[in-house]
Amino acid sequence: MARIAERMRKLLPSARRASGSEAAPPPARTGRQGHNLFEAAAVYVAACAEDDQERLEEAVTWVSPGQLAFGVNELACRALLTLARERNQTPETVARSLLGVKGR
């Protein structure tokens, strides 16, 4: 789980600037055209879960880092709501359970 958080930090522009690195041009977009941010997010998260570095790196090229972060956030929200409904629990309870965080 920590690897996913670290990968997301690397994607966010604010995290890259905070690390002291000079502003570098964005990476060239080499993937096929026509991918949307939700498709990129789905492939990115699935690749993270399956530890498929090659597929992860491909998905990162499909959209901008900001778009990917938005898509991953939207996917997380939708997945959390679905799990909460299935478990008949609140989204906060499920989120805390998934992350191993104790309840209040």
Side-chain angles (χ1 to χ4, degrees):
M1 194 56 94
R3 289 188 325 221
I4 294 171
E6 181 60 30
R7 289 175 181 157
M8 286 307 299
R9 275 194 285 280
K10 289 178 182 178
L11 288 174
L12 299 173
S14 59
R16 287 196 306 262
R17 282 193 295 270
S19 68
S21 63
E22 292 295 319
R29 303 286 180 231
T30 58
R32 83 175 161 92
Q33 298 299 314
H35 294 287
N36 69 41
L37 65 101
F38 296 116
E39 180 182 14
V43 170
Y44 179 84
V45 171
C48 284
E50 297 167 352
D51 201 25
D52 184 345
Q53 187 66 32
E54 184 177 319
R55 191 79 171 135
L56 184 143
E57 290 171 1
E58 179 185 359
V60 168
T61 66
W62 294 348
V63 295
S64 73
Q67 290 175 317
L68 184 58
F70 176 82
V72 168
N73 183 64
E74 185 66 22
L75 177 59
C77 289
R78 292 179 187 194
L80 185 62
L81 289 172
T82 300
L83 281 173
R85 278 189 219 112
E86 287 177 359
R87 295 179 181 186
N88 198 27
Q89 297 176 332
T90 67
E92 183 176 357
T93 301
V94 174
R96 288 177 173 278
S97 172
L98 289 171
L99 294 172
V101 176
K102 294 181 181 181
R104 298 188 240 187

